[in-house]
Amino acid sequence: MTIPLILLLALIGLMVVVGFWLMAAYNGLVTLRQGVKNAWAQIDVQLKRRHDLIPNLVNTVKGYAAHEKETFERVINARARATTATTAGEAIKAEGELSSALARLLAVSEAYPELKANQNFIALQEELTSTENRIAYARQFYNDNVARLNTQIQVFPTVMIAGMFGFKEEPFFEAPSEDRAVPSVNF
């Protein structure tokens, strides 16, 4: 074999290796992006369930606490924003507002002992608690997928492929700032 032929074969071999690496890196990014979309779909299912429970909960509390109109309006408005959010970022913000409004609604219920004893309210509250737990799990699953995708987008050499093919970082689904505050306990 002549030297030019050896160099040509080496160049072809290098191009094949680089081509396989590009293909594997691109497919890995696509797989991670699909994982994020799937995780968001799981959150969306649980949020829909939560949104469906809210009108029944509000109506049940309304029967006992008619003068808490502002609280009811906050919950209803927050639910409306949450159900009409079109992007993950909008949904994350709207769901944080809805969580805060629901917490206020449940705090209002504490002032009404007969409401707390109502079987319909108890069942709705248990269902909402179960749904909130499912949302927390789905949010953790989503954030794990987002972390993997965002890390892969940022590391070398995949960062070059991510930039070429328009892969973007996804937002984390973080707890609302009110939920992060440390509660004060006074005895």
Side-chain angles (χ1 to χ4, degrees), residues 19-62:
F20 277 122
W21 175 81
L22 284 170
M23 184 179 64
Y26 177 81
N27 288 343
L29 287 170
V30 169
T31 300
L32 290 171
R33 183 172 56 194
Q34 290 305 108
V36 168
K37 287 180 180 181
N38 174 47
W40 181 256
Q42 299 305 314
I43 289 176
D44 201 39
V45 167
Q46 298 308 321
L47 294 178
K48 171 82 170 93
R49 179 182 166 142
R50 176 204 233 183
H51 298 159
D52 292 346
L53 286 171
I54 290 171
N56 293 333
L57 186 64
V58 168
N59 288 333
T60 301
V61 176
K62 263 186 187 178

Side-chain angles (χ1 to χ4, degrees), residues 135-167:
I135 291 170
Y137 176 77
R139 183 172 59 204
Q140 179 182 354
F141 179 66
Y142 170 79
N143 284 341
D144 289 346
N145 279 283
V146 167
R148 281 194 292 277
L149 174 64
N150 290 351
T151 300
Q152 200 60 34
I153 286 174
Q154 294 175 13
V155 297
F156 183 81
T158 321
V159 67
M160 295 181 303
I161 294 168
M164 284 190 304
F165 292 103
F167 286 89

